Amino acid sequence: MNTFKKAAQKRLKQQGGSLKKQSTSTATPEAVSEDALIQLSQMIEELEQQSLTPEYRTRLLQKLEALQAYQRQVFHGQLPPGPYN
Amino acid sequence: MISYLTHLGKTLAPLPPLPAPAQGQLSLNTPVGSCVDHFKHVWLADTAHNRLLIFDRELEQLLASYGELGNRPGEFNMPFRLLAHPEKPWIYVTDMANKRIQLLEYTNNLQIRLIKTFGDDFPLPLTGPNGIVYHQGKLCIADEFYEGTDGESRLVICTDEGQHLNDIHQIHYPQADKDPVQLLWPQGLTLDDQGNIYIANTGFNTLVRCDWQGQAVPFPENNKTYIEGLELTRDVACIQSRLLIPGGEANAIAIYDLQGKKQGRLRGFFAPIQITEAPDPDCLLITEPLLASFQLHQIDLHSLEGDASRFTRVLTSVGDDRDQPGQFHFVASAAGGLDYQTTSETSHYQPPFKTWLDKKQENFESLTSGWPTPALRSWLYLTLNWQNEWISRWQDSWWRLLLGQGIENPKDRLWIVDSGNYQLQTTNQPIPDSIRPTSRPLLPGSLGIVSLKTKRRLAGQLAPEVPLLVVCNYLTSLVTIYQYHPVFDDLVPYRVFGSKGSLPWQLDRPQGLAIDPTNQDILIADSGNNRIARWRLTLSGIAGLVEVFGQPGDGDGEFHTPSDLCVDPEGQCYVTDQFNHRIQVFDHQGKWIRSFGEAGYATEGDRFLLPTSIAYEQRHLIISDLVNRAIKIFTCAGEFVDSFSGFGADPNKGQLWMPYLIQVKNNKVYLPDCALNRINIYQLNFGSS
């Protein structure tokens, strides 16, 4: 049996397993949302509670923006996985 | 018989004078590899742009860029992985489509010069250099597309100056009775402190461990020299004695210890590839190629134990949204076609409110500098961003109505699923940056599209002369049908059907779509359920399931991830049975007739590796063969006629990286490439062969 055939059989076997796993998965978009929002609110608190230099405040705000980019990635950047997955 | 014409999609935006801020307008195109040099500069392979970008350690400044498309020394075609030599100021670049390694020397002020290229001069030249690691004066290179006697790939060992030493084709256990482990499409490599090599063995979805002689180093956890049960293995990184496997679990980075025991996962990713330890403590540099993004994350890996799920803190993200006019972001499929006689211009206008808001966001710091409450500023920033998003989506419609700038000639256009921008784009001209979005947002995960010209007007159909557009969604398993609205001069939803599951009327990860020309049925490649579904729109406009056929397996009439299909004028259905590496043919009732093709590397003939997409044109089948990066033409009886092939990122040559769902109309082939973010257009000529 050549390498391609062996690999295909292994994948087919695994596909059956992953279908079962998928049905019991709890990784919902809502769970992602909750966690990301907790992080976001923590960062806003951090900003409010500390007496910050303008530079440090700017830096934290940049981090907040990056987090927002990350949220966008999680919520909006959902793509099909590509032709080979 | 088949030749390359041109492409759609803007390919490269020029960089501003450097150094320049890294945030904002920098557009990346499927970036893959990264590394950190001796001076803590961060290097990124902007792979589909054929260039290297060098940033400061915090990804705040883009300091330099190096290289451009080409095959001369110092030029790249798909620079893929980067490796910083641990002792010398050298960077190795696996120049994948040029099938060689390039060795660069750099200085602290980023004067970069090429030292040499190698790999194309080995006794058996490299065929697809991917991952690369260094240990004690030697390099190990994963040669992804090398074809051994049994189809296996290989690792190549050479000196750090590029002198070939030996190859590793199989990983051998010391026990003679244990079968050796084969490599298939190895990609990322990493090393632990002892110098053991870890291989992301993509073809088998395993993580393999061996020494530099190719001997097995079994994991105590399972007594095998590989970890299995992974969702995907495209890469691996060994950081702080943990193995990080991007995609090892869906949308996550799986984490294992060096004993092979699972230690949890990092969540919140899409399809990350390379993970590099950043200069600052507990920081990781992660590429998300399909999101066109390069990110700096913070996480204490030692805080992970058991089967924990953690989110990282994102410190910085580089790479814009790829939503500028003319740009695609994960383009997946197309329907309709271009009328080559069309000469009118497609206008690109930026809605004025969006321009105003963009400017406000750019000046956000100065506008709000006097504001006392940081939270208020954050709120305003979020609000501005949401407004901007909303306006960019919907303002197009209103301006089109007010200015009378409709979708010109909706019957004769190319409709494109731009999945990453979650919208349909369209054009009526074969000009690279002529595409423009419709105002119709798509659900995230939209993938396949087909146009359906109804024979009679259906209930609720507003413009029966314009074909309906049927779009399937990979993530939700919904199929949405759009119709042209002559008053709004835009697309509006007509019907939705499907749901996620394995019951007969449900779908799971649908990919390609086709219309049966004998009765206008909609056929769906239900890839997750390993079957084909046939649906029908009644005259009252209701979608109903007619039948499903196929089941998992590799026998006749069985499928392993059917990815696309087409139907000929007699109603025979041709399916790309992707992981069985063949084409299967069914009659109008879904009864298996025959199949053709077998697994193997070949740019001509009927050996396929992951045939992904198929279309019918003039008694011929046009097949996109993914790993072979070939478009192959067969007669409907399965006889090979001609092909076009080319692996790489050169837009002038019609090269391919990740071609997805093919469309053919009027002897023009439209092949979207979701990694290169463009649609290649080829000409078929059946009269001249």
Side-chain angles (χ1 to χ4, degrees):
Chain A
M1 189 187 298
N2 72 17
T3 311
F4 308 117
K5 189 98 175 162
K6 279 184 194 168
Q9 286 195 348
K10 190 170 179 63
R11 278 178 166 271
L12 192 62
K13 197 173 158 191
Q14 190 178 334
Q15 199 179 44
S18 71
L19 280 174
K20 280 178 209 153
K21 267 189 282 174
Q22 202 175 43
S23 61
T24 56
S25 168
T26 55
T28 62
E30 288 74 22
V32 174
S33 160
E34 197 179 337
D35 197 276
L37 287 173
I38 289 168
Q39 284 192 43
L40 185 65
S41 56
Q42 281 171 350
M43 291 181 84
I44 292 172
E45 268 178 40
E46 197 180 344
L47 273 164
E48 283 178 332
Q49 285 171 5
Q50 295 182 35
S51 174
L52 305 170
T53 62
E55 291 75 24
Y56 187 52
R57 187 172 287 176
T58 304
R59 194 161 160 64
L60 280 176
L61 197 65
Q62 282 172 351
K63 287 181 179 179
L64 191 68
E65 290 164 18
L67 183 64
Q68 197 198 14
Y70 161 73
Q71 279 182 291
R72 180 183 162 80
Q73 168 188 322
V74 172
F75 296 124
H76 302 287
Q78 295 180 53
L79 309 173
Y84 170 36
N85 57 76
Chain B
M1 176 171 268
I2 179 168
S3 55
Y4 176 62
L5 288 177
T6 184
H7 70 275
L8 298 171
K10 189 181 277 183
T11 50
L12 183 60
L15 291 172
L18 300 179
Q23 313 291 322
Q25 300 302 309
L26 177 62
S27 200
L28 304 176
N29 200 5
T30 317
V32 176
S34 70
C35 71
V36 178
D37 71 18
H38 288 191
F39 304 105
K40 310 298 182 196
H41 300 129
V42 175
W43 293 57
L44 174 70
D46 189 7
T47 304
H49 277 154
N50 301 300
R51 66 186 178 187
L52 309 182
L53 300 175
I54 301 107
F55 301 90
D56 67 345
R57 62 193 289 165
E58 289 164 327
L59 301 188
E60 288 178 351
Q61 292 284 313
L62 174 59
L63 303 174
S65 114
Y66 181 84
E68 58 184 359
L69 172 67
N71 56 15
R72 292 177 301 188
E75 296 176 334
F76 300 113
N77 194 344
M78 290 179 62
F80 219 73
R81 306 279 184 169
L82 305 176
L83 171 70
H85 194 293
E87 291 136 25
K88 301 168 185 168
W90 290 358
I91 299 281
Y92 298 92
V93 186
T94 57
D95 187 10
M96 186 181 263
N98 282 328
K99 302 178 181 180
R100 65 187 179 186
I101 311 295
Q102 299 214 46
L103 176 54
L104 309 176
E105 186 178 52
Y106 59 89
T107 61
N108 190 16
N109 59 357
L110 289 170
Q111 299 295 310
I112 301 165
R113 74 173 186 95
L114 178 81
I115 297 179
K116 67 184 298 187
T117 68
F118 59 90
D120 45 358
D121 56 349
F122 286 170
L124 291 170
L126 294 172
T127 54
N130 195 316
I132 181 168
V133 286
Y134 169 93
H135 184 63
Q136 294 180 344
K138 290 194 283 190
L139 297 171
C140 175
I141 301 158
D143 194 10
E144 185 180 357
F145 301 119
Y146 176 82
E147 184 182 11
T149 51
D150 207 20
E152 79 280 1
S153 311
R154 68 171 175 174
L155 302 179
V156 178
I157 312 293
C158 62
T159 68
D160 65 351
E161 293 188 357
Q163 188 186 356
H164 180 266
L165 297 174
N166 60 288
D167 291 353
I168 297 173
H169 290 260
Q170 292 181 324
I171 312 305
H172 292 276
Y173 287 97
Q175 303 90 333
D177 59 334
K178 285 186 103 169
D179 287 339
V181 173
Q182 288 174 313
L183 302 175
L184 183 62
W185 306 326
Q187 297 201 53
L189 302 176
T190 193
L191 299 177
D192 62 20
D193 291 342
Q194 278 70 51
N196 293 315
I197 304 170
Y198 295 79
I199 308 150
N201 195 19
T202 311
F204 285 92
N205 275 345
T206 53
L207 178 69
V208 179
R209 178 162 73 178
C210 68
D211 64 17
W212 284 72
Q213 284 71 49
Q215 297 299 310
V217 184
F219 291 97
E221 185 70 11
N222 62 3
N223 212 24
K224 296 175 180 173
T225 199
Y226 54 86
I227 296 172
E228 54 192 341
L230 300 162
E231 182 88 9
L232 271 178
T233 44
R234 284 179 175 147
D235 203 4
V236 56
C238 183
I239 296 173
Q240 297 175 15
S241 300
R242 301 288 176 104
L243 297 169
L244 281 66
I245 309 170
E249 282 187 45
N251 305 115
I253 296 169
I255 299 183
Y256 286 75
D257 63 20
L258 297 184
Q259 281 69 51
K261 190 175 178 190
K262 194 161 187 187
Q263 295 292 325
R265 65 201 62 75
L266 302 177
R267 288 213 172 277
F269 295 91
F270 173 62
I273 290 211
Q274 182 142 3
I275 305 172
T276 302
E277 197 165 14
D280 293 316
D282 295 329
C283 287
L284 303 174
L285 293 155
I286 300 176
T287 51
E288 278 274 14
L290 297 185
L291 297 179
S293 173
F294 184 41
Q295 302 159 2
L296 181 61
H297 293 245
Q298 192 175 42
I299 180 76
D300 177 9
L301 290 176
H302 292 295
S303 67
L304 278 160
E305 53 186 34
D307 197 25
S309 285
R310 291 286 303 277
F311 286 87
T312 57
R313 171 169 280 194
V314 186
L315 301 181
T316 310
S317 176
V318 173
D320 68 6
D321 292 334
R322 292 194 59 86
D323 58 357
Q324 297 301 309
Q327 276 189 325
F328 289 123
H329 189 177
F330 198 93
V331 58
S333 60
L338 298 175
D339 175 3
Y340 265 64
Q341 307 308 314
T342 305
T343 53
S344 63
E345 289 290 313
T346 302
S347 63
H348 280 309
Y349 53 89
Q350 188 83 335
F353 291 146
K354 177 169 165 49
T355 312
W356 181 81
L357 276 170
D358 275 344
K359 200 162 274 181
K360 284 285 168 287
Q361 273 189 285
E362 277 172 25
N363 299 330
F364 183 75
E365 276 305 310
S366 58
L367 279 170
T368 59
S369 57
W371 290 26
T373 334
L376 193 59
R377 294 172 61 186
S378 307
W379 174 83
L380 180 67
Y381 186 85
L382 288 170
T383 307
L384 273 177
N385 227 10
W386 275 108
Q387 290 293 315
N388 205 344
E389 185 68 30
W390 188 88
I391 282 170
S392 67
R393 296 243 151 260
W394 295 103
Q395 202 183 8
D396 260 7
S397 294
W398 299 111
W399 277 101
R400 247 203 295 276
L401 276 175
L402 284 169
L403 303 175
Q405 291 184 321
I407 297 174
E408 191 183 313
N409 194 10
K411 283 186 289 185
D412 237 344
R413 301 188 73 90
L414 190 71
W415 303 92
I416 301 153
V417 173
D418 186 6
S419 211
N421 285 318
Y422 39 101
Q423 63 191 6
L424 280 174
Q425 303 232 37
T426 183
T427 183
N428 60 353
Q429 315 171 76
I431 298 174
D433 62 353
S434 66
I435 54 164
R436 72 164 204 203
T438 69
S439 56
R440 180 57 45 207
L442 296 173
L443 291 171
S446 294
L447 177 54
I449 187 170
V450 70
S451 63
L452 167 56
K453 180 79 176 72
T454 55
K455 284 185 174 166
R456 295 173 61 184
R457 184 185 203 124
L458 308 182
Q461 196 178 4
L462 300 168
E465 70 280 8
V466 181
L468 299 169
L469 291 173
V470 186
V471 179
C472 72
N473 189 291
Y474 186 90
L475 301 176
T476 63
S477 299
L478 292 174
V479 179
T480 309
I481 304 176
Y482 296 96
Q483 67 168 327
Y484 174 69
H485 195 304
V487 176
F488 288 123
D489 215 351
D490 207 345
L491 298 174
V492 292
Y494 176 65
R495 290 290 180 272
V496 179
F497 66 89
S499 68
K500 192 173 176 68
S502 58
L503 295 170
W505 55 88
Q506 293 180 314
L507 302 166
D508 183 18
R509 291 170 274 172
Q511 296 196 46
L513 302 167
I515 301 298
D516 184 340
T518 64
N519 58 6
Q520 272 70 54
D521 282 353
I522 301 166
L523 281 89
I524 305 165
D526 187 4
S527 70
N529 286 322
N530 288 300
R531 66 190 183 197
I532 305 302
R534 178 186 287 269
W535 286 71
R536 187 170 295 164
L537 273 179
T538 65
L539 278 177
S540 53
I542 294 169
L545 175 70
V546 180
E547 64 168 349
V548 294
F549 58 91
Q551 59 181 10
D554 56 10
D556 294 342
E558 295 178 335
F559 297 114
H560 187 181
T561 316
S563 55
D564 195 19
L565 71 177
C566 67
V567 186
D568 70 16
E570 283 74 47
Q572 283 196 0
C573 175
Y574 305 82
V575 182
T576 49
D577 188 10
Q578 194 182 35
F579 278 87
N580 284 327
H581 313 290
R582 65 182 178 183
I583 310 300
Q584 296 207 66
V585 189
F586 298 84
D587 71 9
H588 197 254
Q589 280 75 44
K591 188 181 162 200
W592 180 84
I593 301 174
R594 66 179 180 278
S595 62
F596 64 92
E598 58 179 347
Y601 290 99
T603 53
E604 297 182 339
D606 65 354
R607 280 194 296 160
F608 300 109
L609 283 174
L610 305 180
T612 299
S613 190
I614 187 166
Y616 171 88
E617 181 79 348
Q618 290 197 33
R619 301 188 301 280
H620 289 81
L621 300 170
I622 322 299
I623 298 167
S624 169
D625 185 6
L626 176 66
V627 176
N628 286 313
R629 271 78 183 190
I631 304 167
K632 296 178 174 171
I633 304 170
F634 290 82
T635 65
C636 290
E639 291 161 0
F640 174 76
V641 178
D642 194 16
S643 69
F644 178 97
S645 65
F647 178 40
D650 189 340
N652 305 311
K653 295 179 179 169
Q655 292 181 333
L656 298 163
W657 180 0
M658 282 282 173
Y660 217 159
L661 297 172
I662 201 168
Q663 160 68 359
V664 180
K665 188 177 180 187
N666 296 338
N667 290 335
K668 301 284 188 301
V669 176
Y670 304 92
L671 187 50
D673 191 306
C674 63
L676 298 178
N677 282 309
R678 60 176 177 250
I679 296 180
N680 287 347
I681 306 177
Y682 305 85
Q683 175 73 50
L684 294 173
N685 187 347
F686 293 110
S688 65
S689 69

